[in-house]
Amino acid sequence: MSVAAPSDGKWVGQSLPRVEDAALLTGRGRYIDDLPVAPGTLHAAILRSPHGHATIEAIDVARALALPGVAAVITGDDVKRYGSSMVVGVKAPLDCWPIAIDKVRYFGEPVAVVVAESRYIAEDALDRIDVRYVPLPAVIDPVAALEEDAPVLHERLGRNLVSERAFRYGDPEAAFAAAPHRIAIDVRYPRNACTPIETYGVIAEYDPGLDGYDVTANFQGPFSIHAVMARALKVPGNRLRLRTPPDSGGSFGVKQGIFPYVVLVAIAARVAGRPVKWIEDRLEHLMGSVTATNRAVTLAAAVEADGRITALDWDQVEDTGAHLRAPEPATLYRMHGNMTGAYAIRNVAIRNRVVLTNKMPTGLNRGFGGPQVYFALERLVHRIATTLKLDPLDVIRRNLIPAEAFPYRTATGALYDSGNYQEAIAAAVQDGGLADLIARRDAARAEGRIYGIGYTAAVEPSVSNMGYITAVLTPEERTKAGPKNGAQASATISLDAVGSVSVHVSSTPQGQGHRTVLAQVVADAFGLTPADVRVVTEVDTSRDAWSIASGNYSSRFAPAVAGAARIAAERLRAKLAAIAAKQLDADLEDIRFDKGRVHAGDPERSLAFGRIASTSHWAPGELPQGIEHAIRETAFWTPPELTAPDAQDNVNSSLCHGFIFDFCGVEIDRETAAVRIDKYVTMHDCGRILHPGMVAGQVTGGFAHAVGAALLEETAYAPDGSLESGTLADYLIPTVMETPEPLILHYESPSPFTPLGAKGVGEGNCMSTPACIANAVADALGIEDVTLPIRSSVLAEHLHGPEPEPLRPPRVAPPAPATKAGERVLTGEGEAVVVAPRQQVWNMLLDPDVLMSIIPGAHGVEKVSETKFTADVTLGVGPVKSRYSADIELSDLDEPNGVTLTGGTQGALGFGKGSGRITLTETEKGGTRIGYTYQAAIGGKVASIGGRLLDGAARVVIGQFFEALARKAGGGSGRLHVPGFVKRLLAMIGIAR
């Protein structure tokens, strides 16, 4: 596709069609599951814990190994034999294995890996692994995890507090003592996750001759984790070849968290003696990838009468889940230099505590620490305004960093590179139509509608200083460990024998348009068109130039990676200019690159770019003195501003600092309490804009993620540690129907610290939008506290008061059985009518042959004795399917009036135990009414299947059972009254047995 040259001759800054789109939109993308694999490659499936916390007494894999096609079953013993615990980023006695060793600490933790000829066989073999667990009490709340009597996850640590540090900048105590107001807020930021279309994927091979591993994975980076993986595999870094596929179906940070699975699948390949491929399914991703941290924050401000903030006091409790996986606790410390946001606040106190709970370990997630900080800070600014009866926008403006102060050093150490926040806000207010929005709000309220406006100002950091994480250590510990600081990006530009240009960078694209933007940057340097430049983005650690800071994270592509490509192109152009000056017999300063030719000030006196560029290949003896070659140039760029944390714990945690100012109007339905975003305006200063179209796409994508975080998304756990949001029926993500189109505005203040003047963009709305929407909801309802996600069921109480008592009293459920830790109590009842005498129905219920013919998914029902049965049944709930074995015992037989069934089930979907009473009564028309009550305790994956999905699935399965029973009995119909949600599935299991 040809594109007309820009009028100014520069490609950077133009919204060119994305080079990537032609393949991706026609189904020719090359994702990890599309790549060819070596002959003999096996496929892996992972058995995961059905408990949030339990010891493992025994694992029996004999039946799984006996299944034809199974090559190996890997357990913790194998991983301990061939690997070691992964590095933990704090000084604490903690192990972090990629698989459970003697104990499971979160629901979904890998317990065993089956390697087989196909994924189908491997999945079937999972059902044949018998694991004996002893459930333990779980702890889910991070504040509760700090209590002395809380269940301890890691016995060697002896507590759940992994790290605690206190920081003090300026004189916060004096500021609070002098201020007329101390205004505080307590907030809980929930867990949420990014859900890319493509899940994790690993293809691993072990070379016994080399004693090394060759792994392809859709790993995002940072590549500092390469050293963690190599160490966990007990090989030197040069024995772990890590490659990435050409395309990735999104990441948003999440695919950094694949590294434990890289280790696990690599060890599986070693045990099996053949290459192994594993592609994560969606259920696994929701339960076992990574999420953002949830955080409990108490934030107080010392405030003057006019709303000016003189000090902040942060108390943060960070929940990193069951393990502290690298690079955590990076989420907590990435924003350390930015704790004052966009505001000129010179006095700050910070207390950071990192806590373990029985939840999935955390990791990188779009926004990476920013949403947790800004939700607290910007909600506090709103609280200050309402408390002092001030305009929230006036409070924001009154506290902003002055424009003349840039570059600005924050109280906690960040060096803000550039900006003019006042002008950016003024432009947003004018061009975004704030006056009209206020008038719209006032008119809506006059009509009795519920309408509010929210504001947020935020600083978006990008290009992380890899030394910021060392702030978790004391200055003395940092001195002993040695300095860590900086950020590095690399780019290689190559010229082939006909002068064609190729660019290679060590950044794995996740949808940012690397190939398009890098082609623009390099084309400008050489006077070519972007179509003349080929960009290669696959990474191969055994071949390519990379550093531990490589990867695609922290919004570093435009400022760092594209900047490195610019530096490499300029260096190579200087060599080509010298070659051209000799061949054209011209002065070096007269050489120009333009429209595919190189000339000496006169287009008529020129040579084709390809001829100059191929000289080093064809005529190296003709190179000018001092030019060894012009074939390849690799540039490593690191900014000097990113220094290590100093003795006073000042941390410049990022290089670039964009600015975001958002305002929005929301309306809340008076009847349903549904939140509707009426208008959303977002102003961004991301420095120099390299590709306006892709910047708009990044901002829009970040906004969509943030709408999900604000209104829909939460990775939720039950008190026993079981996952309550295990499918997309209950982990709700926004679609285009729930995401309005934001008005995107720009103010450009180029960064003086980056080669192209660009700053990062794309994470910012994840930081600003949840707080902005929450502030608008608070303004609409006149309430102080808003909890994420903002659910209509919660807002309804503010509108209508507590839920009234039902007019008809609910049926009294039977007593619940005693349960252990890791189990959930379920009770319920129902009935059905069949056209058959009681005695006939009684006989059918106790006949194994009849039961097998009417139970959905039954493979066999065996009568062990007059009162004992065993059953083998396959059950499926939506996308989750498993084979169950059950032992059932009959008691209290009252023929033909009733019977009690007691027993238990075990399978890959989880476990259940309980009892149910079936009663048979005659109807007036000679039929039989079957009534049942049940009480059960369940655990495992079944408990994580969302209520919406279970509701429909259970109705279908129970209905199938009674329809089949009615047909067998000679006709009739079932009439069910089935309360609850998970209860329906267990009711079906109890009756079916």
Side-chain angles (χ1 to χ4, degrees):
M1 179 178 176
S2 60
V3 179
S7 57
D8 63 357
K10 297 296 182 184
W11 297 103
V12 170
Q14 306 298 317
S15 291
L16 302 185
R18 283 170 34 113
V19 176
E20 297 85 349
D21 288 348
L24 299 182
L25 296 178
T26 56
R28 290 181 285 116
R30 296 175 61 218
Y31 303 97
I32 189 162
D33 204 20
D34 300 319
L35 300 182
V37 295
T41 296
L42 300 169
H43 297 265
I46 299 174
L47 180 69
R48 297 177 180 275
S49 168
H51 300 276
H53 198 194
T55 56
I56 300 174
E57 282 197 334
I59 302 177
D60 186 351
V61 302
R63 291 197 307 130
L65 284 170
L67 185 67
V70 172
V73 179
I74 292 85
T75 64
D77 290 340
D78 300 296
V79 175
K80 287 174 69 175
R81 182 179 305 115
Y82 297 114
S84 64
S85 172
M86 295 177 291
V87 173
V88 176
V90 299
K91 301 296 183 182
L94 276 176
D95 289 328
C96 183
W97 295 89
I99 196 170
I101 307 290
D102 303 326
K103 183 178 180 181
V104 294
R105 294 177 173 87
Y106 67 96
F107 179 94
E109 183 169 14
V111 175
V113 181
V114 173
V115 178
E117 297 292 336
S118 72
R119 179 67 178 259
Y120 302 98
I121 296 174
E123 292 280 355
D124 287 344
L126 294 183
D127 292 344
R128 293 168 169 247
I129 300 175
D130 296 317
V131 185
R132 191 162 68 246
Y133 299 98
V134 178
L136 299 169
V139 60
I140 298 305
D141 181 83
V143 176
L146 292 169
E147 299 295 331
E148 289 187 3
D149 60 349
V152 174
L153 275 72
H154 294 262
E155 287 72 15
R156 288 179 58 214
L157 181 64
R159 58 180 185 173
N160 298 320
L161 179 64
V162 179
S163 170
E164 180 171 6
R165 284 222 62 200
F167 305 86
R168 183 177 175 277
Y169 304 92
D171 193 347
E173 295 83 4
F176 273 100
H181 302 283
R182 179 188 179 95
I183 299 175
I185 190 169
D186 290 305
V187 299
R188 293 289 188 101
Y189 196 89
R191 284 193 166 215
N192 49 49
C194 296
T195 49
I197 294 175
E198 183 197 36
T199 55
Y200 289 174
V202 180
I203 305 168
E205 184 173 2
Y206 174 70
D207 184 343
L210 179 66
D211 187 26
Y213 296 89
D214 190 336
V215 177
T216 300
N218 51 12
F219 177 66
Q220 175 183 344
F223 277 75
S224 53
I225 304 300
H226 182 275
V228 174
M229 291 185 282
R231 180 171 175 176
L233 289 168
K234 295 201 252 190
V235 296
N238 60 4
R239 302 283 176 87
L240 172 59
R241 181 185 190 185
L242 180 60
R243 293 184 276 179
T244 64
D247 295 311
S248 176
S251 171
F252 320 110
V254 171
K255 282 178 180 161
Q256 178 273 340
I258 195 177
F259 73 90
Y261 293 105
V262 170
V263 174
L264 187 57
V265 177
I267 290 176
R270 180 170 186 170
V271 173
R274 287 163 61 180
V276 173
K277 177 179 180 178
W278 171 70
I279 301 296
E280 179 188 54
D281 66 35
R282 179 60 59 187
L283 296 173
E284 290 183 291
H285 189 80
L286 288 170
M287 75 171 72
S289 56
V290 294
T291 71
T293 59
N294 55 293
R295 186 178 299 176
V297 179
T298 298
L299 176 59
V303 187
E304 299 294 329
D306 62 356
R308 188 168 54 85
I309 303 168
T310 59
L312 293 175
D313 186 351
W314 290 87
D315 188 344
Q316 304 184 106
V317 179
E318 186 86 335
D319 180 356
T320 61
H323 300 286
L324 194 67
R325 283 185 185 162
E328 294 288 26
T331 307
L332 182 60
Y333 283 91
R334 182 207 177 189
M335 299 293 294
H336 194 84
N338 306 85
M339 300 303 288
T340 53
Y343 307 123
I345 304 169
R346 303 311 305 171
N347 305 292
V348 182
I350 302 173
R351 182 190 188 191
N352 286 341
R353 285 175 286 175
V354 180
V355 179
L356 300 173
T357 62
N358 293 111
K359 291 185 282 197
M360 185 196 315
T362 60
L364 306 189
N365 197 282
R366 195 173 194 170
F368 195 34
Q372 294 89 334
V373 166
Y374 287 119
F375 188 75
L377 182 58
E378 293 305 302
R379 289 290 296 121
L380 177 63
V381 170
H382 180 91
R383 176 74 61 83
I384 290 169
T386 56
T387 301
L388 301 182
K389 295 181 171 51
L390 302 171
D391 184 331
L393 184 54
D394 287 343
V395 176
I396 289 174
R397 283 171 160 154
R398 201 159 288 148
N399 286 285
L400 291 173
I401 297 167
E404 63 274 10
F406 291 93
Y408 175 82
R409 182 74 70 176
T410 69
T412 52
L415 183 62
Y416 289 3
D417 44 342
S418 63
N420 188 325
Y421 302 165
Q422 291 79 4
E423 283 195 13
I425 289 178
V429 167
Q430 177 65 37
D431 299 340
L434 178 59
D436 292 339
L437 185 63
I438 293 173
R440 188 185 307 180
R441 177 192 64 184
D442 294 345
R445 289 178 173 179
E447 295 172 4
R449 291 149 56 199
I450 305 172
Y451 199 105
I453 294 176
Y455 306 90
T456 305
V459 173
E460 178 180 3
S462 54
V463 189
S464 289
N465 177 358
M466 59 186 172
Y468 74 82
I469 185 57
T470 62
V472 72
L473 305 176
T474 66
E476 295 75 21
E477 290 172 330
R478 291 198 298 267
T479 299
K480 184 176 180 180
K484 289 183 176 62
N485 69 283
Q488 198 167 71
S490 64
T492 298
I493 300 180
S494 304
L495 304 174
D496 66 15
V498 294
S500 299
V501 181
S502 295
V503 182
H504 192 283
V505 293
S506 58
S507 178
T508 52
Q510 314 291 331
Q512 296 91 337
H514 282 37
R515 293 169 59 197
T516 302
V517 174
L518 291 173
Q520 289 176 275
V521 171
V522 175
D524 277 348
F526 292 138
L528 303 172
T529 69
D532 297 324
V533 180
R534 177 174 181 260
V535 178
V536 180
T537 54
E538 301 102 307
V539 174
D540 183 339
T541 59
S542 69
R543 177 197 66 194
D544 304 326
W546 63 283
S547 80
I548 64 168
S550 296
N552 183 10
Y553 62 100
S554 183
S555 292
R556 64 196 304 275
F557 169 66
V561 178
R566 167 70 175 269
I567 292 170
E570 289 177 339
R571 291 177 182 172
L572 194 53
R573 183 181 63 184
K575 294 181 179 181
L576 295 177
I579 295 171
K582 180 179 179 182
Q583 293 188 15
L584 293 170
D585 192 21
D587 292 334
L588 183 60
E589 57 269 21
D590 292 333
I591 298 299
R592 300 289 183 271
F593 293 76
D594 186 43
K595 297 179 181 177
R597 300 189 70 82
V598 185
H599 60 82
D602 180 1
E604 297 299 323
R605 187 182 170 198
S606 65
L607 293 170
F609 175 84
R611 177 171 171 178
I612 299 296
S614 64
T615 299
S616 292
H617 287 278
W618 296 104
E622 299 299 318
L623 294 176
Q625 187 175 2
I627 303 296
E628 295 182 355
H629 72 86
I631 295 176
R632 173 174 294 190
E633 190 71 35
T634 297
F636 287 90
W637 173 76
T638 187
E641 292 82 9
L642 295 183
T643 56
D646 64 19
Q648 289 73 44
D649 288 315
N650 291 291
V651 184
N652 186 22
S653 40
S654 295
L655 177 69
C656 308
H657 297 87
F659 176 67
I660 309 158
F661 173 69
D662 292 353
F663 65 86
C664 69
V666 305
E667 183 169 2
I668 301 172
D669 187 278
R670 188 170 290 280
E671 297 300 322
T672 66
V675 178
R676 180 181 66 86
I677 303 172
D678 185 41
K679 182 175 183 177
Y680 201 99
V681 177
T682 181
M683 162 64 77
H684 285 256
D685 173 7
C686 59
R688 185 185 180 194
I689 296 174
L690 306 184
H691 189 295
M694 275 190 273
V695 167
Q698 288 291 309
V699 172
T700 302
F703 173 68
H705 269 119
V707 169
L711 302 177
L712 299 170
E713 299 185 38
E714 182 180 14
T715 302
Y717 288 83
D720 66 356
S722 56
L723 183 64
E724 295 184 317
S725 52
T727 75
L728 294 181
D730 274 82
Y731 187 87
L732 305 180
I733 57 176
T735 69
V736 293
M737 300 302 294
E738 292 80 32
T739 310
E741 185 175 353
L743 174 61
I744 302 171
L745 304 172
H746 291 287
Y747 178 91
E748 288 192 48
S749 66
S751 173
F753 299 158
T754 66
L756 291 163
K759 307 176 186 179
V761 69
E763 293 183 278
N765 281 102
C766 288
M767 303 178 186
S768 62
T769 296
C772 189
I773 293 174
N775 285 339
V777 169
D779 180 57
L781 293 172
I783 58 178
E784 286 192 346
D785 297 320
V786 179
T787 302
L788 298 184
I790 305 171
R791 295 191 175 97
S792 298
S793 57
V794 175
L795 299 185
E797 292 197 10
H798 295 287
L799 296 174
H800 309 299
E803 186 82 14
E805 291 296 324
L807 297 177
R808 178 182 299 174
R811 295 183 181 183
V812 178
T819 60
K820 297 179 181 179
E823 297 177 348
R824 300 176 67 182
V825 177
L826 305 170
T827 60
E829 59 185 21
E831 65 177 35
V833 176
V834 297
V835 183
R838 280 189 300 167
Q839 188 64 50
Q840 180 181 347
V841 175
W842 173 271
N843 294 338
M844 292 173 63
L845 286 173
L846 302 185
D847 185 333
D849 293 331
V850 172
L851 287 177
M852 191 174 119
S853 69
I854 65 176
I855 294 174
H859 304 286
V861 178
E862 181 181 351
K863 189 172 183 177
V864 179
S865 71
E866 288 301 316
T867 58
K868 292 184 180 181
F869 292 79
T870 62
D872 182 15
V873 182
T874 294
L875 297 175
V877 183
V880 183
K881 188 177 182 182
S882 180
R883 198 153 176 161
Y884 270 82
S885 61
D887 296 303
I888 306 297
E889 184 171 1
L890 309 182
S891 61
D892 300 328
L893 281 77
D894 180 17
E895 183 178 356
N897 302 312
V899 62
T900 297
L901 294 83
T902 304
T905 63
Q906 184 75 36
L909 270 178
F911 56 88
K913 65 177 182 179
S915 63
R917 180 71 180 174
I918 296 179
T919 58
L920 306 179
T921 56
E922 293 182 355
T923 65
E924 294 179 358
K925 297 181 179 181
T928 301
R929 176 176 288 103
I930 306 173
Y932 61 86
T933 61
Y934 64 88
Q935 49 280 324
I938 65 165
K941 186 184 291 186
V942 66
S944 75
I945 306 304
R948 299 169 184 82
L949 195 59
L950 275 175
D951 185 69
R955 284 180 183 275
V956 169
V957 177
I958 295 173
Q960 289 174 349
F961 174 79
F962 282 111
E963 286 171 10
L965 179 63
R967 287 194 304 269
K968 205 78 173 177
S973 63
R975 185 176 73 252
L976 305 181
H977 305 288
V978 189
F981 70 96
V982 178
K983 305 173 184 179
R984 295 155 173 77
L985 180 62
L986 267 294
M988 179 273 295
I989 293 173
I991 291 177
R993 302 301 194 278

